Amino acid sequence: MSTPKTPVASAGPGEAELSAEPDLQAEAFAAEYSVRPVPAAGPVDTTAICSTPAALEELDGLWKAVVHETRTRGNDIHLPISLAYAERLCRAYPDADAELVRVTTLLHDTGWAHVDESRIISEGFAGDWRKAAIRYEHELQGCHVARRVLPGLGYSPDFVERACEIIDGHDTRLVARSLEDALMRDADRLWRFDRAGIALASSWFAMDPATYTDRLATEIVPELITQAAVEMATADLDRSNALLKTAVIR
C-alpha cells in the first residue's frame, strides 16, 4: 500500500492556539523530515501484531516497576500492544534511538494511574480532548513515573530527561519534535487498529465498532507521521473490519 508523499508545514492546524512561542525542535524535525508520511528506510511488517509481540527481556524490570500503573485505563492491554508496534517501527526506521522509543512507549500513559480515574473518560475522551486539563495532568504524572523508576534501573539522567521530553506533550502537543517522538506517537495510535484496541477504545468513546473504525480511517490514519505506520494501520484496519463484519453490522 502506498500513500502520496507530499511536503507538509512544520505545524499542524490549531498549533497557535496551544502556544504563541515557536517550537524550534518541531520546526527542525519538520525540516529534516519534510516529506510526509516519512518514508521508511527499513522493512515494514504489516502482518497481524499478535504474531510478533515485543519480547525484550531487558525491559522486564521496567514492566515490573510499573505494574501498578498498568492497571488503569486498560494500560495492561494498550501498552504491550503499543510496544509491539514500536518494535516494528524501530526496524522500519533504524536511524532512531530504539531504546528511547521503547522506553517512552512503555511509559507514556503510566500517568493515568495518578489522576482522578473518574475524570479519564468524562474529560479525557470528550469534546476537544487534546486541550482537556486531565490530559496535561497525565503527561506530567507520566514524567514523574519515569523519573521515579528509570534511574534505579540504570538509565542516565540525560536519557531520563529525553524520555520525559517525549512523554510530556505526547497527547497535547500537535507536532513531533524528533524521529523518536514521532515513532512513539505512531505506536500510541497504531494499537487502536488491532481488534483488541478497537474492542477497548470504542467503548471509551461510546461507539459501536463500525462507527469507531470509520473514525480510525477518517481521523487517525491522517494523523500518522510515518509511512510504515500508515501501511500497518491500513492493513490492520482491513483485517479488523473483515473480522468484525463492520460493513454489515452497522
Side-chain angles (χ1 to χ4, degrees):
M1 178 266 170
S2 61
T3 299
K5 299 175 175 61
T6 55
V8 298
S10 61
E15 178 70 1
E17 296 176 13
L18 296 183
S19 175
E21 297 295 325
D23 190 330
L24 299 181
Q25 288 177 284
E27 290 177 1
F29 171 70
E32 184 176 0
Y33 296 92
S34 59
V35 176
R36 300 290 175 89
V38 177
V44 179
D45 186 349
T46 61
T47 61
I49 198 64
C50 60
S51 66
T52 56
L56 300 168
E57 293 183 0
E58 62 264 32
L59 292 180
D60 284 356
L62 183 54
W63 279 119
K64 291 176 181 178
V66 296
V67 168
H68 168 71
E69 283 81 9
T70 68
R71 302 308 187 198
T72 300
R73 206 211 68 150
N75 272 341
D76 43 9
I77 296 173
H78 167 45
L79 295 179
I81 296 176
S82 295
L83 182 60
Y85 281 110
E87 281 295 294
R88 289 188 177 185
L89 289 171
C90 287
R91 289 193 287 273
Y93 297 89
D95 289 342
D97 182 335
E99 184 177 27
L100 185 61
V101 176
R102 294 174 185 130
V103 170
T104 54
T105 301
L106 193 161
L107 292 176
H108 75 279
D109 269 351
T110 54
W112 286 121
H114 300 282
V115 300
D116 182 352
E117 191 167 358
S118 68
R119 296 169 53 207
I120 293 177
I121 300 298
S122 63
E123 296 181 26
F125 293 91
D128 192 353
W129 59 266
R130 204 184 293 272
K131 295 180 181 178
I134 199 165
R135 288 278 174 179
Y136 291 94
E137 292 173 24
H138 100 281
E139 291 173 343
L140 176 61
Q141 292 297 329
C143 292
H144 291 336
V145 172
R147 292 189 175 105
R148 186 189 80 229
V149 303
L150 291 178
L153 294 170
Y155 292 92
S156 70
D158 177 67
F159 183 93
V160 174
E161 291 312 307
R162 289 173 64 207
C164 288
E165 286 179 4
I166 294 175
I167 294 168
D168 185 15
H170 72 268
D171 272 349
T172 57
R173 184 169 16 89
L174 292 179
V175 289
R177 290 175 169 171
S178 66
L179 181 58
E180 293 79 14
D181 188 359
L183 297 185
M184 193 240 87
R185 286 166 178 260
D186 278 358
D188 185 23
R189 287 168 172 79
L190 279 170
W191 86 286
R192 306 181 194 188
F193 294 83
D194 179 67
R195 59 193 183 276
I198 291 169
L200 182 59
S202 62
S203 67
W204 295 341
F205 292 94
M207 293 180 181
D208 60 79
T211 300
Y212 185 69
T213 54
D214 287 347
R215 177 179 178 271
L216 291 176
T218 59
E219 298 180 28
I220 306 304
V221 170
E223 289 186 354
L224 295 170
I225 303 168
T226 64
Q227 180 65 25
V230 171
E231 294 182 17
M232 292 179 201
T234 303
D236 278 335
L237 189 57
D238 287 345
R239 280 189 291 265
S240 295
N241 277 325
L243 177 65
L244 299 174
K245 297 191 67 66
T246 57
V248 178
I249 308 173
R250 61 170 54 239

CSV table of all heavy atoms in Angstrom, one decimal, residues 42-96:
chain,number,residue,atom,x,y,z
A,42,GLY,N,13.8,1.0,6.4
A,42,GLY,CA,13.9,-0.4,6.7
A,42,GLY,C,12.6,-1.2,6.3
A,42,GLY,O,11.7,-0.6,5.8
A,43,PRO,N,12.6,-2.5,6.6
A,43,PRO,CA,11.4,-3.3,6.3
A,43,PRO,C,10.2,-2.9,7.1
A,43,PRO,O,10.3,-2.5,8.2
A,43,PRO,CB,11.9,-4.7,6.6
A,43,PRO,CG,12.9,-4.5,7.7
A,43,PRO,CD,13.6,-3.2,7.3
A,44,VAL,N,9.0,-3.0,6.4
A,44,VAL,CA,7.8,-2.7,7.1
A,44,VAL,C,7.0,-4.0,7.2
A,44,VAL,O,6.6,-4.6,6.2
A,44,VAL,CB,7.0,-1.6,6.3
A,44,VAL,CG1,5.6,-1.3,7.0
A,44,VAL,CG2,7.8,-0.4,6.1
A,45,ASP,N,6.7,-4.4,8.4
A,45,ASP,CA,5.9,-5.6,8.7
A,45,ASP,C,4.5,-5.2,8.9
A,45,ASP,O,4.1,-4.5,9.9
A,45,ASP,CB,6.5,-6.3,10.0
A,45,ASP,CG,5.9,-7.6,10.3
A,45,ASP,OD1,4.9,-8.0,9.6
A,45,ASP,OD2,6.4,-8.3,11.2
A,46,THR,N,3.6,-5.7,8.0
A,46,THR,CA,2.2,-5.4,8.1
A,46,THR,C,1.3,-6.6,8.5
A,46,THR,O,0.1,-6.6,8.4
A,46,THR,CB,1.6,-4.8,6.8
A,46,THR,OG1,1.8,-5.8,5.8
A,46,THR,CG2,2.3,-3.5,6.4
A,47,THR,N,2.0,-7.7,9.0
A,47,THR,CA,1.2,-8.8,9.5
A,47,THR,C,0.5,-8.5,10.8
A,47,THR,O,0.8,-7.5,11.4
A,47,THR,CB,2.1,-10.0,9.7
A,47,THR,OG1,3.1,-9.7,10.6
A,47,THR,CG2,2.8,-10.4,8.4
A,48,ALA,N,-0.4,-9.3,11.2
A,48,ALA,CA,-1.1,-9.1,12.5
A,48,ALA,C,-0.2,-9.0,13.6
A,48,ALA,O,0.8,-9.7,13.8
A,48,ALA,CB,-2.1,-10.2,12.7
A,49,ILE,N,-0.4,-8.0,14.5
A,49,ILE,CA,0.6,-7.6,15.5
A,49,ILE,C,0.7,-8.8,16.5
A,49,ILE,O,1.8,-8.9,17.2
A,49,ILE,CB,0.2,-6.3,16.2
A,49,ILE,CG1,1.4,-5.7,17.0
A,49,ILE,CG2,-1.0,-6.5,17.1
A,49,ILE,CD1,2.6,-5.3,16.2
A,50,CYS,N,-0.3,-9.6,16.7
A,50,CYS,CA,-0.2,-10.7,17.7
A,50,CYS,C,0.8,-11.7,17.3
A,50,CYS,O,1.2,-12.5,18.1
A,50,CYS,CB,-1.6,-11.3,17.9
A,50,CYS,SG,-2.3,-12.0,16.4
A,51,SER,N,1.3,-11.7,16.0
A,51,SER,CA,2.2,-12.6,15.6
A,51,SER,C,3.7,-12.3,16.0
A,51,SER,O,4.6,-13.1,16.0
A,51,SER,CB,2.2,-12.8,14.0
A,51,SER,OG,2.6,-11.6,13.4
A,52,THR,N,3.9,-11.0,16.4
A,52,THR,CA,5.2,-10.6,16.8
A,52,THR,C,5.1,-9.7,18.0
A,52,THR,O,5.4,-8.5,18.0
A,52,THR,CB,5.9,-9.8,15.7
A,52,THR,OG1,5.1,-8.7,15.3
A,52,THR,CG2,6.2,-10.7,14.5
A,53,PRO,N,4.8,-10.3,19.2
A,53,PRO,CA,4.8,-9.5,20.4
A,53,PRO,C,6.2,-9.0,20.7
A,53,PRO,O,7.2,-9.6,20.3
A,53,PRO,CB,4.2,-10.4,21.5
A,53,PRO,CG,4.6,-11.8,20.9
A,53,PRO,CD,4.4,-11.7,19.4
A,54,ALA,N,6.3,-7.9,21.4
A,54,ALA,CA,7.6,-7.4,21.9
A,54,ALA,C,8.1,-8.2,23.0
A,54,ALA,O,7.5,-8.3,24.1
A,54,ALA,CB,7.4,-5.9,22.3
A,55,ALA,N,9.2,-9.0,22.7
A,55,ALA,CA,9.7,-9.9,23.7
A,55,ALA,C,11.1,-9.5,24.1
A,55,ALA,O,12.1,-10.2,24.0
A,55,ALA,CB,9.7,-11.3,23.2
A,56,LEU,N,11.2,-8.3,24.7
A,56,LEU,CA,12.5,-7.8,25.1
A,56,LEU,C,12.7,-8.0,26.6
A,56,LEU,O,12.2,-7.3,27.4
A,56,LEU,CB,12.6,-6.3,24.8
A,56,LEU,CG,12.4,-5.9,23.3
A,56,LEU,CD1,12.2,-4.4,23.1
A,56,LEU,CD2,13.6,-6.4,22.5
A,57,GLU,N,13.5,-9.0,26.9
A,57,GLU,CA,13.7,-9.3,28.3
A,57,GLU,C,14.3,-8.2,29.1
A,57,GLU,O,14.1,-8.1,30.3
A,57,GLU,CB,14.5,-10.6,28.4
A,57,GLU,CG,13.8,-11.9,27.9
A,57,GLU,CD,14.6,-13.1,28.1
A,57,GLU,OE1,15.7,-13.0,28.7
A,57,GLU,OE2,14.1,-14.2,27.8
A,58,GLU,N,15.1,-7.4,28.4
A,58,GLU,CA,15.8,-6.3,29.2
A,58,GLU,C,14.8,-5.3,29.7
A,58,GLU,O,15.2,-4.4,30.5
A,58,GLU,CB,16.8,-5.6,28.3
A,58,GLU,CG,16.3,-5.0,27.0
A,58,GLU,CD,16.4,-5.8,25.8
A,58,GLU,OE1,16.3,-7.1,26.0
A,58,GLU,OE2,16.6,-5.3,24.7
A,59,LEU,N,13.6,-5.3,29.2
A,59,LEU,CA,12.6,-4.4,29.7
A,59,LEU,C,11.7,-5.0,30.8
A,59,LEU,O,10.8,-4.3,31.4
A,59,LEU,CB,11.6,-3.9,28.6
A,59,LEU,CG,12.3,-3.0,27.5
A,59,LEU,CD1,11.3,-2.6,26.5
A,59,LEU,CD2,12.9,-1.7,28.2
A,60,ASP,N,12.0,-6.2,31.2
A,60,ASP,CA,11.2,-6.9,32.2
A,60,ASP,C,11.2,-6.1,33.5
A,60,ASP,O,10.2,-6.0,34.2
A,60,ASP,CB,11.6,-8.3,32.5
A,60,ASP,CG,11.2,-9.3,31.3
A,60,ASP,OD1,10.4,-8.8,30.5
A,60,ASP,OD2,11.6,-10.4,31.4
A,61,GLY,N,12.4,-5.6,33.9
A,61,GLY,CA,12.5,-4.8,35.1
A,61,GLY,C,11.6,-3.6,35.1
A,61,GLY,O,11.0,-3.2,36.1
A,62,LEU,N,11.6,-2.9,34.0
A,62,LEU,CA,10.7,-1.7,33.8
A,62,LEU,C,9.3,-2.1,33.9
A,62,LEU,O,8.5,-1.4,34.6
A,62,LEU,CB,11.1,-1.0,32.5
A,62,LEU,CG,10.4,0.3,32.3
A,62,LEU,CD1,10.5,1.3,33.4
A,62,LEU,CD2,10.9,0.9,31.0
A,63,TRP,N,8.9,-3.2,33.2
A,63,TRP,CA,7.5,-3.6,33.3
A,63,TRP,C,7.1,-3.8,34.8
A,63,TRP,O,6.0,-3.4,35.3
A,63,TRP,CB,7.2,-4.9,32.5
A,63,TRP,CG,7.0,-4.7,31.0
A,63,TRP,CD1,7.8,-5.2,30.0
A,63,TRP,CD2,6.0,-3.9,30.4
A,63,TRP,NE1,7.3,-4.8,28.8
A,63,TRP,CE2,6.2,-4.0,29.0
A,63,TRP,CE3,4.9,-3.2,30.9
A,63,TRP,CZ2,5.3,-3.4,28.1
A,63,TRP,CZ3,4.0,-2.6,29.9
A,63,TRP,CH2,4.3,-2.7,28.6
A,64,LYS,N,8.0,-4.6,35.5
A,64,LYS,CA,7.6,-4.9,36.9
A,64,LYS,C,7.6,-3.6,37.8
A,64,LYS,O,6.8,-3.6,38.7
A,64,LYS,CB,8.7,-5.9,37.4
A,64,LYS,CG,8.6,-7.2,36.8
A,64,LYS,CD,9.7,-8.1,37.3
A,64,LYS,CE,9.7,-9.5,36.6
A,64,LYS,NZ,10.8,-10.4,37.1
A,65,ALA,N,8.3,-2.6,37.4
A,65,ALA,CA,8.4,-1.4,38.2
A,65,ALA,C,7.1,-0.6,38.0
A,65,ALA,O,6.8,0.3,38.9
A,65,ALA,CB,9.6,-0.5,37.8
A,66,VAL,N,6.3,-0.8,37.0
A,66,VAL,CA,5.1,0.0,36.7
A,66,VAL,C,3.9,-0.9,36.6
A,66,VAL,O,2.9,-0.5,36.0
A,66,VAL,CB,5.3,0.8,35.4
A,66,VAL,CG1,6.4,1.8,35.5
A,66,VAL,CG2,5.5,-0.1,34.2
A,67,VAL,N,3.9,-2.0,37.3
A,67,VAL,CA,2.7,-2.9,37.3
A,67,VAL,C,1.5,-2.1,37.8
A,67,VAL,O,0.4,-2.2,37.2
A,67,VAL,CB,2.9,-4.2,38.1
A,67,VAL,CG1,1.6,-4.9,38.3
A,67,VAL,CG2,3.9,-5.1,37.4
A,68,HIS,N,1.6,-1.4,38.8
A,68,HIS,CA,0.5,-0.6,39.4
A,68,HIS,C,0.0,0.3,38.3
A,68,HIS,O,-1.3,0.5,38.1
A,68,HIS,CB,1.0,0.3,40.6
A,68,HIS,CG,0.0,1.3,41.0
A,68,HIS,ND1,-1.2,1.0,41.6
A,68,HIS,CD2,0.0,2.7,40.8
A,68,HIS,CE1,-1.9,2.1,41.8
A,68,HIS,NE2,-1.2,3.1,41.4
A,69,GLU,N,0.8,1.0,37.5
A,69,GLU,CA,0.4,1.9,36.5
A,69,GLU,C,-0.3,1.3,35.3
A,69,GLU,O,-0.9,1.9,34.5
A,69,GLU,CB,1.6,2.8,36.0
A,69,GLU,CG,2.0,3.9,37.0
A,69,GLU,CD,2.8,3.4,38.2
A,69,GLU,OE1,3.3,2.2,38.1
A,69,GLU,OE2,3.1,4.2,39.1
A,70,THR,N,-0.1,-0.1,35.1
A,70,THR,CA,-0.7,-0.7,34.0
A,70,THR,C,-2.2,-1.1,34.3
A,70,THR,O,-2.9,-1.6,33.4
A,70,THR,CB,0.0,-2.0,33.6
A,70,THR,OG1,-0.1,-3.0,34.7
A,70,THR,CG2,1.5,-1.7,33.3
A,71,ARG,N,-2.6,-0.9,35.6
A,71,ARG,CA,-3.9,-1.4,36.0
A,71,ARG,C,-5.0,-0.3,35.8
A,71,ARG,O,-6.1,-0.5,36.2
A,71,ARG,CB,-3.9,-1.9,37.4
A,71,ARG,CG,-2.9,-3.0,37.7
A,71,ARG,CD,-3.1,-4.2,36.7
A,71,ARG,NE,-2.3,-5.3,37.1
A,71,ARG,CZ,-1.9,-6.3,36.3
A,71,ARG,NH1,-2.4,-6.3,35.0
A,71,ARG,NH2,-1.2,-7.3,36.7
A,72,THR,N,-4.7,0.8,35.1
A,72,THR,CA,-5.6,1.9,34.9
A,72,THR,C,-5.8,2.1,33.5
A,72,THR,O,-4.9,2.0,32.7
A,72,THR,CB,-5.1,3.2,35.6
A,72,THR,OG1,-4.9,3.0,37.0
A,72,THR,CG2,-6.0,4.3,35.4
A,73,ARG,N,-7.1,2.4,33.1
A,73,ARG,CA,-7.4,2.8,31.7
A,73,ARG,C,-7.0,1.7,30.7
A,73,ARG,O,-6.7,2.1,29.5
A,73,ARG,CB,-6.9,4.1,31.4
A,73,ARG,CG,-7.7,4.9,30.3
A,73,ARG,CD,-6.8,5.8,29.5
A,73,ARG,NE,-5.9,5.1,28.7
A,73,ARG,CZ,-5.4,5.5,27.5
A,73,ARG,NH1,-5.8,6.7,27.0
A,73,ARG,NH2,-4.5,4.8,26.8
A,74,GLY,N,-7.0,0.5,31.0
A,74,GLY,CA,-6.6,-0.6,30.1
A,74,GLY,C,-5.1,-0.5,29.7
A,74,GLY,O,-4.8,-1.1,28.6
A,75,ASN,N,-4.3,0.0,30.5
A,75,ASN,CA,-2.9,0.1,30.1
A,75,ASN,C,-2.2,-1.3,30.0
A,75,ASN,O,-1.2,-1.4,29.2
A,75,ASN,CB,-2.1,0.9,31.1
A,75,ASN,CG,-2.1,2.4,30.8
A,75,ASN,OD1,-2.3,2.8,29.7
A,75,ASN,ND2,-1.8,3.2,31.8
A,76,ASP,N,-2.7,-2.3,30.7
A,76,ASP,CA,-2.2,-3.6,30.6
A,76,ASP,C,-2.5,-4.2,29.2
A,76,ASP,O,-1.9,-5.3,28.9
A,76,ASP,CB,-2.6,-4.5,31.7
A,76,ASP,CG,-4.1,-4.4,32.1
A,76,ASP,OD1,-4.8,-3.7,31.3
A,76,ASP,OD2,-4.5,-4.9,33.1
A,77,ILE,N,-3.4,-3.6,28.5
A,77,ILE,CA,-3.6,-4.0,27.1
A,77,ILE,C,-3.0,-3.0,26.1
A,77,ILE,O,-2.3,-3.4,25.2
A,77,ILE,CB,-5.1,-4.1,26.8
A,77,ILE,CG1,-5.8,-5.2,27.7
A,77,ILE,CG2,-5.4,-4.4,25.3
A,77,ILE,CD1,-7.3,-5.2,27.6
A,78,HIS,N,-3.2,-1.8,26.4
A,78,HIS,CA,-2.7,-0.7,25.5
A,78,HIS,C,-1.2,-0.7,25.4
A,78,HIS,O,-0.6,-0.6,24.3
A,78,HIS,CB,-3.2,0.6,26.0
A,78,HIS,CG,-2.6,1.8,25.4
A,78,HIS,ND1,-2.3,2.0,24.1
A,78,HIS,CD2,-2.1,3.0,26.0
A,78,HIS,CE1,-1.7,3.1,23.8
A,78,HIS,NE2,-1.6,3.8,25.0
A,79,LEU,N,-0.5,-0.7,26.5
A,79,LEU,CA,1.0,-0.5,26.5
A,79,LEU,C,1.7,-1.7,25.8
A,79,LEU,O,2.6,-1.4,25.0
A,79,LEU,CB,1.5,-0.2,27.9
A,79,LEU,CG,1.0,1.1,28.5
A,79,LEU,CD1,1.6,1.3,29.9
A,79,LEU,CD2,1.4,2.3,27.6
A,80,PRO,N,1.4,-2.9,26.1
A,80,PRO,CA,2.2,-4.0,25.5
A,80,PRO,C,1.9,-4.1,24.0
A,80,PRO,O,2.9,-4.3,23.2
A,80,PRO,CB,1.6,-5.3,26.1
A,80,PRO,CG,1.1,-4.8,27.5
A,80,PRO,CD,0.6,-3.5,27.2
A,81,ILE,N,0.7,-3.8,23.5
A,81,ILE,CA,0.4,-3.8,22.1
A,81,ILE,C,1.2,-2.6,21.4
A,81,ILE,O,1.8,-2.8,20.4
A,81,ILE,CB,-1.1,-3.7,21.8
A,81,ILE,CG1,-1.8,-5.0,22.4
A,81,ILE,CG2,-1.3,-3.6,20.3
A,81,ILE,CD1,-3.3,-5.0,22.2
A,82,SER,N,1.1,-1.5,22.1
A,82,SER,CA,1.8,-0.3,21.5
A,82,SER,C,3.3,-0.6,21.4
A,82,SER,O,4.0,-0.2,20.4
A,82,SER,CB,1.6,0.9,22.4
A,82,SER,OG,0.2,1.3,22.3
A,83,LEU,N,3.9,-1.3,22.4
A,83,LEU,CA,5.3,-1.6,22.4
A,83,LEU,C,5.6,-2.5,21.2
A,83,LEU,O,6.7,-2.4,20.6
A,83,LEU,CB,5.8,-2.2,23.7
A,83,LEU,CG,7.2,-2.5,23.8
A,83,LEU,CD1,8.1,-1.2,23.6
A,83,LEU,CD2,7.6,-3.1,25.1
A,84,ALA,N,4.8,-3.5,20.9
A,84,ALA,CA,5.0,-4.3,19.8
A,84,ALA,C,5.0,-3.5,18.5
A,84,ALA,O,5.9,-3.8,17.6
A,84,ALA,CB,3.9,-5.4,19.7
A,85,TYR,N,4.1,-2.6,18.4
A,85,TYR,CA,4.2,-1.7,17.2
A,85,TYR,C,5.5,-0.9,17.2
A,85,TYR,O,6.1,-0.6,16.1
A,85,TYR,CB,3.0,-0.8,17.1
A,85,TYR,CG,1.7,-1.5,16.6
A,85,TYR,CD1,0.6,-1.7,17.5
A,85,TYR,CD2,1.6,-1.8,15.3
A,85,TYR,CE1,-0.5,-2.3,17.0
A,85,TYR,CE2,0.4,-2.4,14.8
A,85,TYR,CZ,-0.6,-2.7,15.7
A,85,TYR,OH,-1.8,-3.3,15.2
A,86,ALA,N,5.9,-0.4,18.3
A,86,ALA,CA,7.1,0.4,18.4
A,86,ALA,C,8.3,-0.4,17.9
A,86,ALA,O,9.2,0.2,17.2
A,86,ALA,CB,7.3,0.9,19.8
A,87,GLU,N,8.3,-1.7,18.3
A,87,GLU,CA,9.4,-2.5,17.8
A,87,GLU,C,9.5,-2.6,16.3
A,87,GLU,O,10.5,-2.5,15.7
A,87,GLU,CB,9.3,-3.9,18.4
A,87,GLU,CG,9.7,-4.1,19.8
A,87,GLU,CD,11.2,-3.8,19.9
A,87,GLU,OE1,12.0,-4.6,19.4
A,87,GLU,OE2,11.6,-2.8,20.5
A,88,ARG,N,8.3,-2.7,15.7
A,88,ARG,CA,8.3,-2.8,14.2
A,88,ARG,C,8.7,-1.4,13.6
A,88,ARG,O,9.4,-1.4,12.6
A,88,ARG,CB,6.9,-3.1,13.8
A,88,ARG,CG,6.5,-4.6,14.0
A,88,ARG,CD,5.1,-4.9,13.4
A,88,ARG,NE,4.7,-6.3,13.6
A,88,ARG,CZ,3.7,-6.8,13.0
A,88,ARG,NH1,2.9,-6.1,12.2
A,88,ARG,NH2,3.4,-8.1,13.2
A,89,LEU,N,8.2,-0.4,14.2
A,89,LEU,CA,8.6,1.0,13.7
A,89,LEU,C,10.1,1.2,13.8
A,89,LEU,O,10.7,1.8,12.9
A,89,LEU,CB,7.8,2.0,14.4
A,89,LEU,CG,6.3,2.1,14.1
A,89,LEU,CD1,5.6,3.1,15.1
A,89,LEU,CD2,6.1,2.5,12.7
A,90,CYS,N,10.7,0.7,14.9
A,90,CYS,CA,12.2,0.9,15.0
A,90,CYS,C,12.9,0.1,13.9
A,90,CYS,O,14.0,0.6,13.5
A,90,CYS,CB,12.6,0.5,16.4
A,90,CYS,SG,12.1,1.6,17.7
A,91,ARG,N,12.4,-1.0,13.5
A,91,ARG,CA,13.1,-1.7,12.4
A,91,ARG,C,12.9,-1.0,11.1
A,91,ARG,O,13.8,-1.1,10.2
A,91,ARG,CB,12.5,-3.2,12.4
A,91,ARG,CG,13.0,-4.0,13.5
A,91,ARG,CD,12.7,-5.5,13.3
A,91,ARG,NE,11.3,-5.8,13.4
A,91,ARG,CZ,10.6,-6.2,14.5
A,91,ARG,NH1,11.3,-6.2,15.6
A,91,ARG,NH2,9.3,-6.4,14.5
A,92,ALA,N,11.8,-0.3,11.0
A,92,ALA,CA,11.5,0.4,9.7
A,92,ALA,C,12.3,1.7,9.7
A,92,ALA,O,12.5,2.2,8.6
A,92,ALA,CB,10.0,0.7,9.6
A,93,TYR,N,12.7,2.2,10.9
A,93,TYR,CA,13.4,3.5,10.9
A,93,TYR,C,14.7,3.3,11.8
A,93,TYR,O,14.7,3.7,13.0
A,93,TYR,CB,12.5,4.6,11.5
A,93,TYR,CG,11.4,4.9,10.6
A,93,TYR,CD1,10.2,4.2,10.7
A,93,TYR,CD2,11.5,5.8,9.5
A,93,TYR,CE1,9.1,4.4,9.8
A,93,TYR,CE2,10.4,6.0,8.7
A,93,TYR,CZ,9.2,5.3,8.8
A,93,TYR,OH,8.2,5.5,7.9
A,94,PRO,N,15.7,2.6,11.2
A,94,PRO,CA,16.9,2.2,12.0
A,94,PRO,C,17.7,3.4,12.5
A,94,PRO,O,18.6,3.2,13.4
A,94,PRO,CB,17.7,1.3,11.0
A,94,PRO,CG,17.2,1.7,9.7
A,94,PRO,CD,15.7,2.1,9.8
A,95,ASP,N,17.5,4.6,12.0
A,95,ASP,CA,18.2,5.8,12.4
A,95,ASP,C,17.7,6.3,13.8
A,95,ASP,O,18.4,7.0,14.5
A,95,ASP,CB,18.1,6.9,11.4
A,95,ASP,CG,18.9,6.6,10.2
A,95,ASP,OD1,19.8,5.8,10.2
A,95,ASP,OD2,18.6,7.3,9.2
A,96,ALA,N,16.6,5.8,14.2
A,96,ALA,CA,16.0,6.3,15.5
A,96,ALA,C,16.7,5.6,16.7
A,96,ALA,O,17.3,4.5,16.5
A,96,ALA,CB,14.5,5.9,15.6
